Amino acid sequence: MPVINVTLMEGYDEVTRERLAKGITQVAQTVIGAPLEGITVTLQELPPANYMRGGTRKSPGTPPISPSEIIRSYLAAMEARDLETAKQWLADTALLTFPGGADFTSLEAMIEWARARYRSIGKTYERFDETGTDDGAVVICQGTLHGEWLDGSKFEGIRFVDWFLIRDGRIVEQRVWNDLSETPATR
């Protein structure tokens, strides 16, 4: 069973240290197949006075917002139709792909496309999963959709999966899968 020791500069908050330890545990489980309960991760901290790089004392940097929190903030803004806030989370070259191969490079175009499908929509989240890749962080969220069809009737319990790629704190790609087209009101 692996024992992984990590040395950090003193000063990172508890949430950041916990995210780091959990992430390292998940990587070890995935890469070497060790059972979760058999993986030990220890974080040791060096006081700033005991750390120097390039002949200069350093301080810990500010950790970025977690990829899942970026996605939660973006999706909350989209559900509220606060497009200005939602746009702050998108890279300038973001590509949004929705069911049926509908690709968008602007939120306005995506919302216009959705107007022909439903009056309103919301999400109930069951889980968020995130991982690092060579291209950036990937977040997958899944759950169910609820809302109102064009005729005013309500819907709920429609499955969805959203896949996001995040680079430098911004969403560069979103891919959406859902069962909206499998329900009677959209046929």
Side-chain angles (χ1 to χ4, degrees):
M1 298 300 122
V3 176
I4 303 165
N5 298 304
V6 178
T7 303
L8 290 174
M9 209 179 325
E10 193 175 81
Y12 288 102
D13 62 79
E14 184 176 344
V15 171
T16 300
R17 292 191 312 268
E18 185 174 330
R19 280 186 60 221
L20 178 62
K22 187 173 184 174
I24 291 169
T25 300
Q26 291 167 340
V27 167
Q29 182 183 30
T30 300
V31 172
I32 63 176
L36 189 61
E37 65 277 358
I39 301 167
T40 302
V41 175
T42 66
L43 302 178
Q44 301 169 7
E45 295 183 294
L46 290 175
N50 293 349
Y51 180 83
M52 190 176 280
R53 185 175 65 233
T56 306
R57 294 203 188 285
K58 302 290 181 183
S59 298
T62 302
I65 185 170
S66 79
S68 291
E69 285 306 311
I70 290 170
I71 299 310
R72 286 178 187 275
S73 297
Y74 166 75
L75 292 173
M78 288 299 298
E79 189 168 337
R81 287 303 186 248
D82 180 355
L83 298 189
E84 292 311 308
T85 298
K87 286 178 188 178
Q88 294 174 9
W89 294 112
L90 292 176
D92 293 340
T93 59
L95 176 64
L96 314 173
T97 302
F98 280 72
D103 289 337
F104 305 99
T105 57
S106 78
L107 295 180
E108 292 83 2
M110 184 271 296
I111 289 173
E112 189 59 36
W113 168 82
R115 282 192 183 146
R117 298 169 61 92
Y118 47 78
R119 282 188 188 173
S120 67
I121 196 161
K123 294 180 176 186
T124 301
Y125 302 105
E126 293 173 3
R127 66 183 295 159
F128 281 75
D129 296 305
E130 64 180 64
T131 190
T133 72
D134 290 344
D135 290 334
V138 169
V139 175
I140 300 169
C141 66
Q142 65 186 50
T144 58
L145 301 171
H146 57 274
E148 188 176 324
W149 295 117
L150 295 174
D151 67 4
S153 61
K154 305 286 186 198
F155 63 86
E156 64 181 7
I158 298 174
R159 300 178 305 168
F160 80 88
V161 175
D162 288 355
W163 179 97
F164 296 90
L165 178 62
I166 301 169
R167 263 188 234 123
D168 300 322
R170 309 271 305 275
I171 299 164
V172 295
E173 191 173 350
Q174 176 183 8
R175 298 179 194 170
V176 176
W177 293 272
N178 61 53
D179 288 339
L180 275 175
S181 66
E182 297 300 316
T183 59
T186 60
R187 289 184 185 168

